[in-house]
Amino acid sequence: MKKNVFALATLAALAATTASITAHAQSSVTVYGVIDTSLTYTSKVGANNGSRFSIDSGDLATSRIGFKGAEDLGGGLTAIFNLENGFNADNGGLGTANVLFDRKSVVGLSGAFGTVTIGRQTDYLEDIGSKYTSVQTFGGNGVKGGHFNNLDRTAGGARTDNSVRYDTANLSGFTGSLFYGFGEVAGKTSAGQAFGFAGNYANGPFGIGAAYYQSKLAADALPARAGDTNLKTFTIGTSYQAGPAKLYAAWSQSKQPAAAAVASTGLVQITTATKANIFDVGVDYALTGNFHLLGSVIYDRANINRVTTGKTKVSTTQLNVGVDYYLSKRTDVYALYTNQRASDTINPGVVNAAYSSSPADDSSQNVVRLGLRHKF
């Protein structure tokens, strides 16, 4: 009798241990990140257009640390989460003040139907940017100025709070995405509301995709009112891998229906425009397996609505060239040169958000970046 009781107890203990191991095996948590730091020379910055040397963070890829996990719920259903924080590697500060997980904070479900995530996240335009624009080779922080201060949302950093995103499963190379952001303004559902949709096709060396996003004002910005549309933007892009060369091109159009007419008659920032068309073409040529030659051109043509006189057709042109050498799969060093020219508008500058490191006028700006990036 005692032997039977002991055997049953042993079996129960083994079953409990096995169940624990199985449950552990069915869930996972991954810690990942990027640390990207560079020495940067910028030819003209600030009111006096003086040159500047700086140590920058995230010039090629935003420095970040993230946590993502998945739990198998059975029946092909998986619970997922993703928390991601952007930080400044040069000083250790938060990428966005007072926001811990500024890059992503979502929980969701994934299965044969696709994936649904809820929280703070990007829409599919960022995916389009990382596939078909200069973002993939020269970094979001190095092309935002050329992309209408990232109002086309392709250069990263454009997040929507309180949002729901649905991505379809891969259907023979086709994927789709739907996006909705809740404004959360009592009594006025349209205030702060956002929505978007997208589609992409990838087959071997060829890819093509397009995405649209629209948002509305959360509060009055007279003469515009809460609930008025303040941004409409779409991008279509494509790429083709021709042997060692990846060729890519994209066209974005962004409109700001609520933008007020400009009272000044002189040079103004291009981001005051009511409409902009951005063209981005480039190449990533693998000279060897770990040594890449990079080049691209970004042209931004915008319309300024003025109260009185002044230039109404303005533009910027950004030329990028560089090299990227991979010391390993996770570590690379890079050298990048950019020239940003402005015509009839204030030069937005190259690095980081537009106008944070810009000339005071339409002077041409030259930027050289020498950096080290490590992924973990």
Side-chain angles (χ1 to χ4, degrees):
M1 182 67 179
K2 290 182 178 180
K3 291 182 179 180
N4 290 338
V5 172
F6 178 78
L8 289 172
T10 302
L11 288 172
L14 287 172
T17 302
T18 302
S20 176
I21 293 173
T22 302
H24 178 73
Q26 290 176 340
S27 63
S28 63
V29 176
T30 302
V31 180
Y32 67 92
V34 178
I35 301 177
D36 183 343
T37 306
S38 65
L39 172 63
T40 302
Y41 166 77
T42 308
S43 66
K44 297 174 182 178
V45 178
N48 298 318
N49 282 354
S51 60
R52 187 183 75 174
F53 285 93
S54 59
I55 297 292
D56 290 344
S57 173
D59 275 357
L60 190 59
T62 301
S63 296
R64 71 197 75 167
I65 185 169
F67 310 86
K68 60 183 178 181
E71 180 187 12
D72 187 352
L73 302 176
L77 189 64
T78 302
I80 59 175
F81 78 89
N82 195 174
L83 302 171
E84 190 172 290
N85 161 255
F87 64 90
N88 301 317
D90 54 334
N91 60 25
L94 292 174
T96 303
N98 303 316
V99 182
L100 179 58
F101 296 112
D102 61 331
R103 292 183 56 82
K104 185 170 286 188
S105 176
V106 297
V107 65
L109 294 172
S110 180
F113 61 88
T115 302
V116 176
T117 50
I118 305 172
R120 175 179 171 86
Q121 57 195 318
T122 59
D123 56 276
Y124 202 85
L125 276 165
E126 184 188 50
D127 299 60
I128 294 292
S130 66
K131 296 176 188 292
Y132 307 122
T133 76
S134 296
V135 172
Q136 62 191 309
T137 48
F138 293 94
N141 284 338
V143 304
K144 286 181 179 178
H147 274 259
F148 200 38
N149 195 24
N150 197 35
L151 286 174
D152 66 358
R153 302 179 70 84
T154 60
R159 270 74 185 171
T160 301
D161 293 336
N162 314 307
S163 62
V164 179
R165 173 170 166 168
Y166 166 65
D167 292 281
T168 69
N170 190 313
L171 305 172
S172 301
F174 289 96
T175 53
S177 182
L178 297 174
F179 190 88
Y180 183 79
F182 291 82
E184 298 190 347
V185 176
K188 195 172 184 64
T189 303
S190 62
Q193 185 185 63
F195 66 88
F197 53 88
N200 190 72
Y201 175 72
N203 183 8
F206 175 72
I208 186 169
Y212 176 84
Y213 178 90
Q214 179 174 315
S215 62
K216 300 182 179 182
L217 291 171
D220 291 346
L222 299 178
R225 298 285 186 177
D228 288 350
T229 299
N230 69 318
L231 178 65
K232 295 179 178 180
T233 185
F234 77 87
T235 299
I236 181 169
T238 186
S239 69
Y240 184 77
Q241 188 72 46
K246 181 180 181 181
L247 309 172
Y248 58 86
W251 167 46
S252 301
Q253 185 178 95
S254 298
K255 297 180 180 180
Q256 299 186 98
V262 176
S264 171
T265 60
L267 296 176
V268 295
Q269 295 181 355
I270 198 171
T271 52
T272 61
T274 56
K275 178 182 178 180
N277 286 282
I278 305 103
F279 303 90
D280 186 334
V281 296
V283 60
D284 179 348
Y285 185 89
L287 193 62
T288 66
N290 58 347
F291 186 58
H292 292 241
L293 305 178
L294 314 171
S296 75
V297 177
I298 306 169
Y299 178 70
D300 185 356
R301 178 76 171 178
N303 300 336
I304 304 291
N305 182 18
R306 293 184 182 269
V307 174
T308 54
T309 60
K311 295 290 185 179
T312 58
K313 303 291 186 181
V314 304
S315 65
T316 64
T317 303
Q318 181 171 327
L319 170 66
N320 306 296
V321 294
V323 295
D324 194 357
Y325 183 78
Y326 288 83
L327 301 170
S328 70
K329 290 183 178 180
R330 298 189 299 169
T331 303
D332 60 317
V333 292
Y334 57 87
L336 310 174
Y337 166 75
T338 297
N339 174 263
Q340 173 80 279
R341 296 178 179 272
S343 177
D344 299 319
T345 185
I346 297 173
N347 191 323
V350 174
V351 177
N352 296 313
Y355 306 107
S356 62
S357 301
S358 66
D361 49 28
D362 58 350
S363 296
S364 176
Q365 185 183 77
N366 296 295
V367 175
V368 177
R369 295 177 279 164
L370 304 175
L372 172 65
R373 174 175 58 174
H374 176 72
K375 303 174 184 178
F376 61 89

